[in-house]
Amino acid sequence: MGSIWELDFYSRPILDEQQKKVWEVLICESALDVRANTDSLFRYAKYCPSTQVNSVWLRTALQEAVEKAGEAPIKIRFFRRQMNNMIVKACEDAGIPALPSRRTLILNQWLQQRQEQVYPQEPGYQGGTNPSVRLERPLPQRLPDALEGQQWTFVSLAAADFNDMPEWEISFGEAFPLELMQVSPEANIPGILIFSPRALPLAGWMSGLDLSSLRFDTAQGERLILETGVTESWILANLRTPKLIAEAKAFEEAKQKANGVHFVGVQSSPQSEAFAGFWLLQEANLP
């Protein structure tokens, strides 16, 4: 499997000599494994004059990044939907698929670090934050009938258990180093396991959606909502008993104690030792 990159292209809190916002492209490699060395992940940053903000400039920057990295990624994730057309066009012209996604964990931390340590040192720095990237979310969709799990259950694992994750038999999935999210080895990581005789098709479908997080929602009844992409979401389960609702509340409490980290696993049965799918997730606000 090749690398996955995360990309942001947006204005920064810096003004040039003409009092115009300076733009910047940030590109970084995703951490795809619990044992990934985040210090060795590829990074690329370049400022862009406001007069050159277009897909041509961005494509050229992408080509420079690929040359610097030595190879192109298999895909690029980005979270700013308002930049969708420009980013997708530049990536397509560079021959790289682009995917709107909230799974930009390395990029989010890098942006925060630059907001605190880099931009304030630049000439023309203007305090304050950039406009919010929050977009109107559509209502959660119902899972296709053929993809609903037959059973599911809340579970938890010790953070230290994930050290062996690279040795687990997993068909579809993705992870990241827990220390990246400041999770101690003693912490408990909550999650759910979904069991289905169609485990492999279910896991393949979930993988294609680019999983972001799982949350307990009470806006329209007690439900488990699976967040995917940038704004999409799915009703994973309706909780109809006091016991399940109490377990869902405990899941949310444990998730907060673990800095938003949690997981979703898919297996053919409770007796299976293999995973058709397993995703380590984090619920976090975008920059």
Side-chain angles (χ1 to χ4, degrees):
M1 180 180 177
S3 63
I4 296 174
W5 287 1
E6 303 165 12
L7 180 149
D8 187 39
F9 185 45
Y10 208 62
S11 63
R12 304 303 184 214
I14 306 168
L15 298 182
D16 61 19
E17 294 178 353
Q18 286 73 43
Q19 300 301 298
K20 301 292 185 182
K21 277 283 185 73
V22 173
W23 283 59
E24 181 186 46
V25 60
L26 293 180
I27 299 170
C28 59
E29 184 181 353
S30 294
L32 304 179
D33 190 288
V34 292
R35 297 177 184 172
N37 179 1
T38 56
D39 291 336
S40 66
L41 296 176
F42 173 73
R43 297 187 184 222
Y44 173 92
K46 186 175 184 178
Y47 287 127
C48 173
S50 60
T51 55
Q52 298 183 42
V53 175
N54 54 52
S55 63
V56 175
W57 187 95
L58 182 56
R59 181 198 66 205
T60 301
L62 274 169
Q63 292 168 337
E64 289 179 1
V66 169
E67 184 176 348
K68 181 179 178 182
E71 63 177 358
I74 59 173
K75 63 182 175 182
I76 289 177
R77 291 170 169 154
F78 66 95
F79 65 84
R80 292 195 198 272
R81 282 300 296 267
Q82 61 267 58
M83 298 299 297
N84 184 90
N85 292 345
M86 191 180 297
I87 291 175
V88 169
K89 176 73 164 58
C91 291
E92 287 180 347
D93 289 348
I96 306 169
L99 178 70
S101 174
R102 280 171 280 191
R103 198 176 178 92
T104 53
L105 306 179
I106 301 294
L107 179 61
N108 298 351
Q109 292 196 349
W110 193 18
L111 269 169
Q112 183 64 36
Q113 180 264 330
R114 291 180 72 79
Q115 291 280 2
E116 295 173 357
Q117 301 176 19
V118 177
Y119 305 143
Q121 308 305 317
E122 297 284 3
Y125 171 72
Q126 301 291 307
T129 58
N130 276 4
S132 171
V133 301
R134 295 186 183 277
L135 300 174
E136 190 70 25
R137 292 185 180 180
L139 292 174
Q141 303 175 63
R142 183 174 173 270
L143 281 176
D145 290 340
L147 295 171
E148 290 189 350
Q150 300 300 306
Q151 295 175 266
W152 62 270
T153 185
F154 287 107
V155 293
S156 66
L157 291 171
D161 292 339
F162 286 90
N163 293 333
D164 297 327
M165 188 175 172
E167 278 73 58
W168 300 353
E169 184 180 342
I170 301 172
S171 298
F172 296 93
E174 194 171 329
F176 49 79
L178 289 175
E179 59 266 26
L180 180 68
M181 305 306 164
Q182 300 178 335
V183 176
S184 71
E186 294 76 29
N188 283 322
I189 309 299
I192 67 166
L193 291 178
I194 303 169
F195 307 110
S196 170
R198 293 177 51 81
L200 198 60
L202 173 59
W205 174 82
M206 292 172 71
S207 179
L209 291 177
D210 206 62
L211 273 63
S212 170
S213 63
L214 179 71
R215 62 183 174 87
F216 175 47
D217 179 74
T218 58
Q220 295 183 338
E222 286 78 12
R223 308 181 296 185
L224 284 181
I225 303 296
L226 182 66
E227 302 282 357
T228 66
V230 171
T231 60
E232 296 78 19
S233 59
W234 306 81
I235 303 171
L236 200 60
N238 288 293
L239 309 183
R240 306 187 187 280
T241 68
K243 179 177 182 294
L244 284 177
I245 293 170
E247 290 179 350
K249 291 178 179 178
F251 164 81
E252 284 294 330
E253 291 173 2
K255 186 169 66 174
Q256 295 308 312
K257 291 179 181 178
N259 198 21
V261 176
H262 55 295
F263 65 88
V264 172
V266 179
Q267 293 181 296
S268 58
S269 72
Q271 290 73 42
S272 176
E273 295 184 358
F275 293 96
F278 195 100
W279 294 267
L280 196 55
L281 309 172
Q282 188 200 33
E283 186 173 64
N285 292 325
L286 293 173

